[in-house]
Amino acid sequence: MESIRCNKCGVNNKLTTRYCTQCGYELPKNNSEASEPKLTGDSPQVKRGKKLGSIIGITASLIASFAVQQIFFKAPSVDEVLAKTASELNKTCPVMVDEYSRFDSAVAFPDRSFQYNYTLINLSKSEVNIDTVKKYVEPYIINNIRTSSDLKYFRDNNTTMIYSYYDKNGEFVHKLSVTPDMYKEQQGDNDSKN
């Protein structure tokens, strides 16, 4: 039978005894725990606890890693890239494109839309022939979108590109919205001709 030794007089007492039978001194408080079997590193309860702790630790680490990745290292959305592109372009504006037009600014809109704003520096609205613009300028712009390596990201991400023109007095003249189906359709048609 196991016993517990009194710290004061050294007499052995039963494990269930709270006070020393010799001197009445209070025995260590863990004497009731001493009656329970001690858990060793090899006991099934300890092994199960370690496994559970490991599983919880690994799961928590994976969740934390995923959260950090999403918060700090998440790839920017297409709209965020377009907004940054517009901001960078606007640092260089205004810039002359040719002797007739000036690139004034770029604007990124939600839902993958990107607008270029131009001024026709020598023309008033009444001098612009919209039929001529539609017949010659619009096909040129669509072909440029379809083939330009600078616009690959826009094409790959189905961006609508808007070209907005103003006259020399700042009055709105014309807007061309080139949707993905317009430049991809033309690309498909050209691919089938080759």
Side-chain angles (χ1 to χ4, degrees):
M1 184 170 159
E2 291 189 44
S3 61
I4 187 165
R5 186 185 269 291
C6 177
N7 289 339
K8 187 171 182 185
C9 67
V11 171
N12 287 328
N13 295 275
K14 291 182 184 178
L15 282 177
T16 57
T17 308
R18 189 169 178 181
Y19 296 97
C20 178
T21 55
Q22 176 70 33
C23 67
Y25 188 76
E26 187 174 6
L27 297 171
K29 292 184 180 181
N30 293 335
N31 65 339
S32 61
E33 292 175 9
S35 62
E36 297 176 8
K38 298 242 186 233
L39 297 178
T40 65
D42 296 333
S43 72
Q45 293 93 343
V46 171
K47 286 181 181 178
R48 244 181 282 140
K50 285 182 179 178
K51 279 185 184 177
L52 183 60
S54 294
I55 291 169
I56 291 171
I58 291 169
T59 304
S61 295
L62 290 173
I63 291 171
S65 173
F66 179 75
V68 166
Q69 224 173 15
Q70 291 301 309
I71 293 169
F72 296 108
F73 302 109
K74 183 179 174 187
S77 71
V78 173
D79 286 337
E80 290 171 331
V81 171
L82 295 179
K84 184 168 176 60
T85 302
S87 177
E88 291 300 314
L89 280 173
N90 289 333
K91 290 177 183 176
T92 66
C93 291
V95 62
M96 292 300 294
V97 177
D98 54 33
E99 61 184 294
Y100 308 105
S101 57
R102 180 182 67 217
F103 174 53
D104 293 320
S105 66
V107 181
F109 295 108
D111 300 324
R112 301 177 184 199
S113 294
F114 195 86
Q115 180 170 308
Y116 297 94
N117 296 311
Y118 294 94
T119 297
L120 303 171
I121 59 166
N122 296 320
L123 300 171
S124 64
K125 183 176 181 172
S126 62
E127 296 173 305
V128 177
N129 184 333
I130 298 300
D131 290 334
T132 302
V133 170
K134 288 182 179 184
K135 185 173 181 178
Y136 297 105
V137 177
E138 288 184 5
Y140 172 80
I141 290 171
I142 293 169
N143 188 54
N144 184 53
I145 292 170
R146 185 180 64 76
T147 59
S148 173
S149 60
D150 293 337
L151 298 176
K152 182 179 184 329
Y153 180 85
F154 291 67
R155 289 191 306 269
D156 290 348
N157 289 285
N158 297 317
T159 304
T160 296
M161 286 169 265
I162 304 162
Y163 294 79
S164 188
Y165 293 90
Y166 297 85
D167 74 359
K168 65 182 180 181
N169 301 313
E171 192 174 338
F172 175 76
V173 175
H174 182 66
K175 183 182 282 189
L176 168 63
S177 293
V178 184
T179 59
D181 59 311
M182 292 170 73
Y183 55 81
K184 289 187 178 197
E185 176 184 296
Q186 188 172 1
Q187 184 175 9
D189 290 347
N190 285 347
D191 290 344
S192 63
K193 291 177 185 174
N194 290 333

